[in-house]
Amino acid sequence: MRVTLRRRLRRFLGAGVPGAERFVNREARRHAGVDDATRRILVGFVVPLWIGAGLADWWLHRRSGIESTAGTRESVIHAVMLTEAGFPVLGLFCQVDAGVLAWALLGLCAHQATAFWDVAYAEERRRVTTTEQHVHSLLETVPLMAVLSLTALHWDQALALFGRGPARPDFSLRPKARPLSGRARAGVLASVALCIAVPYAEELWRCARVDPSLASRPRPPLPATPTLRVGNA
């Protein structure tokens, strides 16, 4: 990306402009700094926030007795949502182009729709506390933060994805030109495995052991979440 930026600036300024090369180099360094800062925010804040919120949500499901209330159906919905929310994480390991942005946007839209389905099903069958509702807000916002960060950082490919701008859309899937350090990659993968994959696999196993059916559990006479008892006061 630095090489492309330098070429565009040189072409725009033209040859022989006093101080042009110095300006080009300064802008390239500034752009690289923005790139590095955005990656640090994604790796050091957005991903840990998503992992922490996901782990908190698992604990709240466990405390509400999901295996005997909403059951295996809701647990499978959670697995689908985690997969969808993981699409933007591709941007940490693959070169972000129109293809990666398309996958990230698709995952974001699917995640929001599945989250609506999840809450609509769960809140009538188990108690969804105020704390859990706020955790859900984080889980819906964090993927949006990640997608917006990737889009802003790779605006030329974002425009190209929709047929705008001078760049041509690139849909190839390849490793990042400037990859994360091995330590950072290992940290992200280990954290996702230990704090997301293992707990939610345990939740699915616990629900399936009680009732492996994916059929909807019957609704109780009154909604399990008190905020839904409008008109019953």
Side-chain angles (χ1 to χ4, degrees), residues 134-206:
H134 279 282
V135 171
H136 288 170
S137 297
L138 279 176
L139 289 171
E140 292 173 18
T141 304
V142 170
L144 176 62
M145 293 167 59
V147 172
L148 288 178
S149 297
L150 293 175
T151 301
L153 190 57
H154 302 275
W155 187 243
D156 57 337
Q157 284 296 298
L159 288 176
L161 178 62
F162 296 99
R164 306 292 299 274
R168 299 185 63 178
D170 184 355
F171 293 97
S172 61
L173 193 64
R174 60 189 188 278
K176 292 187 78 69
R178 296 174 58 231
L180 296 173
S181 66
R183 182 177 179 181
R185 291 197 300 270
V188 169
L189 293 175
S191 298
V192 170
L194 293 175
C195 300
I196 297 294
V198 171
Y200 280 90
E202 184 273 338
E203 175 185 283
L204 184 58
W205 172 80
R206 185 162 25 93

Side-chain angles (χ1 to χ4, degrees), residues 1-7 28-29 31-33 35-36 178:
M1 184 173 291
R2 294 189 204 182
V3 175
T4 303
L5 179 65
R6 282 196 173 97
R7 286 174 181 167
R29 287 194 299 271
H31 192 276
D35 188 354
D36 291 339
R178 296 174 58 231

Side-chain angles (χ1 to χ4, degrees), residues 61-139:
H61 300 162
R62 184 181 180 90
R63 195 173 68 174
S64 70
I66 185 175
E67 64 274 13
S68 57
T69 52
T72 304
R73 185 184 182 90
E74 189 190 358
S75 187
V76 169
I77 294 174
H78 294 159
V80 172
M81 291 172 64
L82 290 171
T83 303
E84 294 163 347
F87 283 5
V89 179
L90 277 173
L92 294 177
F93 300 94
C94 300
Q95 188 66 28
V96 179
D97 52 26
V100 171
L101 289 175
W103 277 109
L105 287 169
L106 177 64
L108 175 64
C109 294
H111 181 269
Q112 301 293 23
T114 310
F116 183 86
W117 176 29
D118 172 44
V119 174
Y121 174 76
E123 64 186 1
E124 294 185 336
R125 291 166 176 82
R126 65 179 179 84
R127 180 177 170 83
V128 181
T129 64
T130 304
T131 301
E132 185 175 345
Q133 292 174 31
H134 279 282
V135 171
H136 288 170
S137 297
L138 279 176
L139 289 171

